[in-house]
Amino acid sequence: MALDKTKEADRFMDEYELRIENLKQALGDRRHQLLVSVATISSAYGIWAYGEKHPVGMVLNDIGFQRPLAQRGNFYYINNISEERLANIDGNVLFFLVHGNRRDREILEELQQRPLWRQLKAVQQNQVYFVDAGHWYSMDILAINAIIDDLFKYLVNAP
């Protein structure tokens, strides 16, 4: 029985590596120039960003994306980022994780009205993508595939 699980795990890894390679090819050299940020906001923890140790950070590293300085390093996430330090979540592209919680959505709407939010390069260039926190925060293979789907959707297939 254990051998069957090993084969299944190997198959998932092979599929993951193939999808990552396809995404790299679709992005070409552009992937090395993109500064990709991943952040969210919640009523409980404020504004936070994801580091390289978090599964989404590992996926972005596997693709070869650059990350904002504050999101580089061997950590899962940083929380309680003050509005004055919003530059920590800026990049050429910002994937902003959205929770289903009504209060969290209200806080996000309030943040979007703030001048410091509007000063972010990703906001000014219309490169903020609001994505489902459910799969961007998860750690299973289905979630990882959904993240890759979003990366194709917004970075390759977008008009």
Side-chain angles (χ1 to χ4, degrees):
M1 193 57 123
L3 187 59
D4 288 338
K5 295 294 181 186
T6 301
K7 285 181 182 178
E8 186 176 351
D10 288 344
R11 183 177 57 84
F12 283 136
M13 283 307 300
D14 290 345
E15 289 173 6
Y16 169 80
E17 290 171 6
L18 179 62
R19 293 198 74 207
I20 292 295
E21 201 53 46
N22 288 339
L23 183 55
K24 285 179 179 180
Q25 288 178 12
L27 290 166
D29 288 337
R30 184 173 146 238
R31 70 186 165 95
H32 297 295
Q33 284 90 39
L34 283 177
L35 187 64
V36 178
S37 179
V38 181
T40 193
I41 191 169
S42 76
S43 56
Y45 301 106
I47 302 166
W48 40 325
Y50 296 84
E52 294 176 348
K53 193 170 182 180
H54 191 279
V56 73
M58 289 187 256
V59 170
L60 297 177
N61 285 344
D62 286 349
I63 297 165
F65 289 130
Q66 299 299 309
R67 304 292 306 282
L69 186 60
Q71 295 176 33
R72 295 178 194 164
N74 192 25
F75 61 90
Y76 281 91
Y77 59 86
I78 51 174
N79 62 357
N80 292 319
I81 298 171
S82 68
E83 287 184 36
E84 293 77 24
R85 301 195 71 186
L86 274 180
N88 288 341
I89 68 165
D90 203 5
N92 304 109
V93 175
L94 170 58
F95 287 97
F96 206 91
L97 285 57
V98 178
H99 301 272
N101 176 312
R102 186 177 65 123
R103 181 64 188 134
D104 290 347
R105 286 182 182 271
E106 290 170 354
I107 292 171
L108 173 58
E109 289 171 10
E110 292 169 13
L111 176 65
Q112 290 175 287
Q113 301 308 312
R114 301 273 197 319
L116 290 174
W117 171 266
R118 291 191 299 269
Q119 290 177 13
L120 296 175
K121 181 176 21 174
V123 172
Q124 292 174 354
Q125 295 177 355
N126 200 29
Q127 296 292 304
V128 178
Y129 303 108
F130 297 97
V131 294
D132 181 4
H135 61 264
W136 276 72
Y137 189 76
S138 296
M139 300 181 188
D140 62 58
I141 192 66
L142 297 175
I144 298 296
N145 276 310
I147 291 167
I148 295 170
D149 289 344
D150 281 347
L151 293 171
F152 267 106
K153 176 181 178 180
Y154 294 112
L155 300 179
V156 175
N157 301 328

